[in-house]
Amino acid sequence: NAGVTQTPKFQVLKTGQSMTLQCAQDMNHNSMYWYRQDPGMGLRLIYYSASEGTTDKGEVPNGYNVSRLNKREFSLRLESAAPSQTSVYFCASRTGQWENTEAFFGQGTRLTVV
Amino acid sequence: QQQVKQSPQSLIVQKGGISIINCAYENTAFDYFPWYQQFPGKGPALLIAIRPDVSEKKEGRFTISFNKSAKQFSLHIMDSQPGDSATYFCAASTYGGSQGNLIFGKGTKLSVKP
């Protein structure tokens, strides 16, 4: 099984450009998440989707939008990239918000905004 | 508001020694406490997790100690090996809604010297 798959793995954007980060999971999980990881800051939640058809803001949602396309896929969009969005982005999935179980992470997308 | 505080930020241990990483939490509703291990260029992966009905859980060389009254939990790595060199994150969550999201500490970079 592939688990959680993120694309692309690396991306360089110019300030003001837009892009969409893709995430897909094949574990039939209800909940999906987008985190960003910055040095010394740990993993901070950007948006989450508790179940298909729902999305909610996390700790650092400004400058981002998300779409839960179906149960498998959860995308993160940067409408107008800024240097402050340079980060490593991780998608994760979990059985559900009402089940305290393991979260599975993708390999990450390293994004640089110049 | 940082709900999960992790220390130290970095740790250097000699091969064969004991590595200890500590976390403290604020929300008494938390009832799931996992530790994640992350190698460079990879996504975090679950190492070991504990629920508050037990004070200790051991899996091989890895042990979680949990102190509910002090709202603290720690990861002990016995007989530390160079292959354990990685970043470790503690996390916490509870059931449902936004509290069903994992809240991560800021991470500890462990280096095990041969």
Side-chain angles (χ1 to χ4, degrees):
Chain A
N1 284 341
V4 179
T5 303
Q6 291 183 235
T7 55
K9 287 186 170 52
F10 301 92
Q11 184 71 50
V12 179
L13 286 180
K14 293 182 179 179
T15 298
Q17 286 186 319
S18 63
M19 80 161 293
T20 300
L21 281 64
Q22 307 286 354
C23 176
Q25 51 92 9
D26 61 2
M27 296 171 282
N28 200 36
H29 285 166
N30 289 310
S31 299
M32 296 186 73
Y33 309 85
W34 278 104
Y35 289 89
R36 62 176 288 172
Q37 183 177 18
D38 303 291
M41 298 298 291
L43 292 153
R44 294 183 292 169
L45 184 64
I46 304 171
Y47 270 93
Y48 68 99
S49 172
S51 60
E52 185 179 356
T54 69
T55 60
D56 283 288
K57 295 178 180 179
E59 180 186 356
V60 288
N62 291 345
Y64 305 95
N65 285 301
V66 291
S67 295
R68 182 75 182 266
L69 304 171
N70 48 56
K71 191 171 186 179
R72 290 187 64 248
E73 298 172 286
F74 188 39
S75 63
L76 178 71
R77 182 162 178 83
L78 287 69
E79 291 291 352
S80 178
S84 60
Q85 294 178 305
T86 293
S87 187
V88 182
Y89 292 86
F90 288 100
C91 177
S93 71
R94 208 175 177 198
T95 309
Q97 294 295 91
W98 293 94
E99 302 168 54
N100 276 329
T101 55
E102 177 180 1
F104 292 83
F105 284 81
Q107 294 277 55
T109 296
R110 185 174 295 274
L111 175 67
T112 302
V113 183
V114 298
Chain B
Q1 182 185 6
Q2 187 183 356
Q3 295 194 56
V4 178
K5 294 184 179 180
Q6 183 173 347
S7 63
Q9 271 191 315
S10 62
L11 183 60
I12 300 174
V13 175
Q14 290 297 123
K15 179 182 175 182
I18 301 173
S19 303
I20 302 174
I21 304 170
N22 300 299
C23 281
Y25 63 97
E26 299 168 2
N27 187 348
T28 55
F30 287 148
D31 53 11
Y32 175 66
F33 302 91
W35 284 90
Y36 281 78
Q37 180 187 55
Q38 184 184 31
F39 293 106
K42 303 293 186 183
L46 180 67
L47 182 65
I48 187 173
I50 197 168
R51 298 182 193 276
D53 52 344
V54 296
S55 59
E56 186 175 281
K57 182 174 182 179
K58 184 176 182 178
E59 291 185 1
R61 296 184 294 108
F62 301 91
T63 300
I64 298 179
S65 297
F66 184 78
N67 186 329
K68 189 173 182 178
S69 61
K71 296 188 286 185
Q72 295 175 345
F73 59 109
S74 59
L75 176 69
H76 291 66
I77 306 174
M78 309 301 289
D79 187 26
S80 298
Q81 299 297 312
D84 297 330
S85 297
T87 299
Y88 292 81
F89 294 96
C90 61
S93 71
T94 185
Y95 293 102
S98 62
Q99 294 193 92
N101 301 321
L102 284 168
I103 306 298
F104 286 89
K106 292 189 175 182
T108 297
K109 186 172 183 179
L110 172 65
S111 297
V112 181
K113 299 300 184 185

